[in-house]
Amino acid sequence: MREDEVRYPDGSVGTLEVIRHQGAAAVLPVYRPGEWCGGTGAAVVLLRQYRYAAGRTLWEIPAGRLDSGESPVDCARRELEEEAGLRAREMRRLTTLFTTPGFTDEVIHLFVASGLEEGSAAPEEHEFLERHEMPLEEAMRLVRDGLISDGKTVCALLMAAAFPDRGTPDTELGNNDSSPVGV
């Protein structure tokens, strides 16, 4: 965190506290209809994770900070396996957004992962989380009822549900599959 002297659009000058951040990536793991043993519709994987700053356990998608020189998609793949114990054959970019532009320059790159396979979870020592699989409809009910309050998770779920064809192949992803996500 630092304090910057800034010139506002009207020409006046002030001091603002700013947190500089290297960026992050998050990923919504999706089972397409027929891929999940718990039902016939699309399903998602969410984490229950304790967050000290929030003072409680939250529903979230796997996410983490970009390592130096790491691409957003590589970060998303790493976090998917570390936190959820999953690997994905397909990754599609949903969007990039500012987390809290009032005091930080942090951006988070949101992805959808599909073609899920079991990997090896390796959460960091300060991460206390549980993996949960549920129908997409149930996750959307949790958003509607205010039980999912994490911004990146709400955004990823709403975008994936509202724009199922969002995330056309991105050359950075190295994915030539042009089929929609199918949620």
Side-chain angles (χ1 to χ4, degrees):
M1 185 177 92
R2 67 184 200 205
E3 288 187 354
D4 288 350
E5 187 173 308
V6 299
R7 182 167 308 279
Y8 298 111
D10 69 357
S12 63
V13 176
T15 302
L16 293 175
E17 294 174 340
V18 179
I19 296 175
R20 299 295 178 191
H21 194 279
Q22 69 267 32
V27 57
L28 175 63
V30 173
Y31 290 103
R32 291 181 174 146
E35 292 180 343
W36 182 55
C37 63
T40 58
V44 296
V45 177
L46 297 177
L47 305 173
R48 291 286 290 160
Q49 184 165 350
Y50 175 74
R51 293 296 193 174
Y52 173 78
R56 61 189 171 129
T57 301
L58 301 175
W59 286 105
E60 296 186 51
I61 56 177
R65 287 187 306 220
L66 297 171
D67 287 340
S68 179
E70 184 178 37
S71 74
V73 70
D74 286 341
C75 178
R77 286 186 186 281
R78 175 176 51 80
E79 292 294 335
L80 178 64
E81 185 159 16
E82 285 179 6
E83 294 185 354
L86 294 169
R87 292 189 199 113
R89 288 188 304 273
E90 302 169 31
M91 295 285 281
R92 295 179 175 278
R93 181 184 308 278
L94 278 174
T95 193
T96 298
L97 54 95
F98 286 98
T99 60
T100 316
F103 68 87
T104 182
D105 64 351
E106 179 186 11
V107 295
I108 190 162
H109 306 272
L110 300 181
F111 295 88
V112 170
S114 58
L116 302 175
E117 302 170 345
E118 288 297 322
S120 299
E124 296 179 27
E125 64 185 28
H126 67 276
E127 293 178 317
F128 298 92
L129 44 84
E130 299 172 355
R131 177 176 127 182
H132 295 267
E133 299 173 355
M134 67 183 70
L136 177 61
E137 295 81 20
E138 181 179 345
M140 296 305 292
R141 182 187 56 76
L142 293 175
V143 169
R144 184 192 67 230
D145 294 347
L147 298 173
I148 295 179
S149 56
D150 172 64
K152 68 185 175 298
T153 303
V154 169
C155 183
L157 283 165
L158 291 175
M159 286 194 70
F163 308 111
D165 59 346
R166 176 88 177 176
T168 54
D170 186 318
T171 56
E172 178 184 333
L173 302 181
N175 181 354
N176 294 323
D177 179 13
S178 61
S179 59
V181 174
V183 297

